[in-house]
Amino acid sequence: MSQVRLSPYIRIAWDHTLHPPNKINRRALFDYELIYVKSGEMKVLIEDVEYRGVPGDIFLLKPRQHHSIDCMNDRPVRQPHLHFDLVYQPDSPTLKTSFLPMEAMSEQELRLFREDVTQELPNHFRLRHPVIFEKLLFDIIHEYESKHPYFETAATGLFLQLWAQLAREHLWSTHAAIATNWVQLERVKSYLNQNVNKDVTLDELSSVANLSSSYLCRLFKKTFGVGPIRYHLIGRIEHAKKLIQFTDLPITEISELCGFLSIHSFSRAFRNAEGVPPTYYRNLPSKSEQ
């Protein structure tokens, strides 16, 4: 899933049970709804595609998508769920939940739909690790039910963890090779983080992971967004930024401590990564001066 700058607003957090013959008739939401099937079975129709929801399943209903929800086997369905905006908008606190199809909405209502920024995420998930997701979801619901001081801040933090877990589940489910080689990928990332004081080679990383260098590069980039050598360079530059700003070490010495062969190669790499020379961070006020 593409990384977006999230500023979520949780509108509803509810541990709800749907009892037959009650059902959710065809409608389109202004916002997002995330439904977790805790018990029972449900039939969900999303844009004319029918899904069967069983315990451990998740449904992500997106803005403008017509859908309906019904119980199966004439048994209740416990379906804790959230209504939310992924990006806060001025009307987020006042937006109501829609129970109408788009053709029955007014012109004013049609202007309330949020932009969908989750195109890569499917409507239906079958979780590999439902316990993790379930705990986060019920912790969010508990915050909204208890309304302790700063409950909205606490719930927002929990939601970001839940959303990250959902994104990871999607990544693992659509790229089996990442799940299979997760231990090796974490080992390489840890090795890179622990060796920001030197240059590394693909052959070196290939030995650490016990994978071919080309295969490792593809998997690493798919998992972490950049290739391993680029990831390492970013880490070395970040380490250098801290040394420049929070120590009095000469920049030439810092370049050596970060594994660069010369001040010229360090300055060139730094400027390419940051858009400014290393001395820019030396001129910033330190925390003790602020």
Side-chain angles (χ1 to χ4, degrees):
M1 182 182 65
S2 299
Q3 298 292 322
V4 296
R5 292 188 177 275
L6 302 182
S7 53
Y9 181 85
I10 302 171
R11 189 162 291 106
I12 295 174
W14 189 18
D15 183 8
H16 176 246
T17 299
L18 186 65
H19 294 272
N22 294 327
K23 61 182 180 179
I24 304 297
N25 292 319
R26 183 174 176 270
R27 64 173 179 174
L29 296 173
F30 303 127
D31 58 355
Y32 295 93
E33 182 177 11
L34 192 63
I35 301 172
Y36 176 66
V37 184
K38 173 63 176 172
S39 62
E41 297 182 10
M42 62 196 300
K43 180 178 72 175
V44 183
L45 190 67
I46 305 175
E47 298 290 358
D48 299 322
V49 178
E50 184 175 312
Y51 301 91
R52 175 174 171 264
V54 300
D57 281 8
I58 287 177
F59 289 94
L60 175 62
L61 306 176
K62 306 179 183 184
R64 295 184 180 273
Q65 285 187 330
H66 281 110
H67 63 272
S68 61
I69 303 172
D70 200 358
C71 300
M72 298 182 69
N73 307 321
D74 295 323
R75 296 179 180 177
V77 178
R78 186 179 177 188
Q79 43 132 23
H81 61 274
L82 307 174
H83 279 269
F84 58 93
D85 288 338
L86 277 174
V87 180
Y88 184 90
Q89 299 187 35
D91 65 342
S92 287
T94 59
L95 187 73
K96 304 299 182 183
T97 300
S98 167
F99 289 93
L100 296 173
M102 289 179 64
E103 59 267 22
M105 292 182 182
S106 66
E107 288 295 325
Q108 182 178 4
E109 288 170 324
L110 291 173
R111 290 194 289 269
L112 297 176
F113 286 104
R114 277 47 180 139
E115 178 187 359
D116 179 27
V117 294
T118 67
Q119 289 88 348
E120 297 176 24
L121 289 177
N123 292 116
H124 177 236
F125 293 80
R126 185 147 290 164
L127 296 176
R128 291 162 51 94
H129 305 289
V131 174
I132 300 173
F133 185 93
E134 182 178 312
K135 183 180 186 309
L136 288 167
L137 176 60
F138 278 105
D139 283 348
I140 293 170
I141 293 171
H142 173 72
E143 287 291 342
Y144 270 80
E145 289 177 345
S146 64
K147 289 186 169 51
H148 291 153
Y150 306 106
F151 75 93
E152 290 174 311
T153 301
T156 298
L158 290 166
F159 178 87
L160 291 172
Q161 293 180 57
L162 178 144
W163 193 256
Q165 182 65 24
L166 192 67
R168 287 170 178 166
E169 288 272 1
H170 175 60
L171 179 68
W172 291 328
S173 66
T174 53
H175 298 89
I178 292 176
T180 302
N181 294 284
W182 184 254
V183 172
Q184 292 95 316
L185 290 167
E186 280 287 291
R187 187 185 302 139
V188 169
K189 185 159 70 73
S190 177
Y191 183 84
L192 293 172
N193 291 337
Q194 293 171 13
N195 287 278
V196 292
N197 61 330
K198 68 172 190 174
D199 200 1
V200 298
T201 66
L202 280 178
D203 287 342
E204 188 177 347
L205 299 178
S206 178
S207 297
V208 171
N210 197 25
L211 298 171
S212 72
S213 57
S214 59
Y215 188 52
L216 172 62
C217 284
R218 290 198 302 272
L219 279 183
F220 196 98
K221 185 171 184 178
K222 192 65 184 177
T223 306
F224 300 113
V226 293
I229 299 302
R230 177 65 179 170
Y231 177 92
H232 189 230
L233 177 61
I234 293 171
R236 293 161 71 196
I237 295 298
E238 287 298 316
H239 183 54
K241 283 164 58 177
K242 293 174 184 175
L243 294 176
I244 293 169
Q245 188 172 359
F246 299 111
T247 75
D248 294 323
L249 293 172
I251 290 179
T252 52
E253 185 175 344
I254 290 173
S255 71
E256 295 174 4
L257 290 172
C258 294
F260 290 90
L261 296 177
S262 69
I263 184 63
H264 301 293
S265 61
F266 172 63
S267 296
R268 183 169 56 252
F270 198 103
R271 188 181 286 275
N272 288 339
E274 295 292 312
V276 293
T279 51
Y280 174 83
Y281 287 92
R282 174 111 315 162
N283 297 328
L284 289 176
S286 66
K287 287 186 177 181
S288 61
E289 297 172 335
Q290 292 176 349

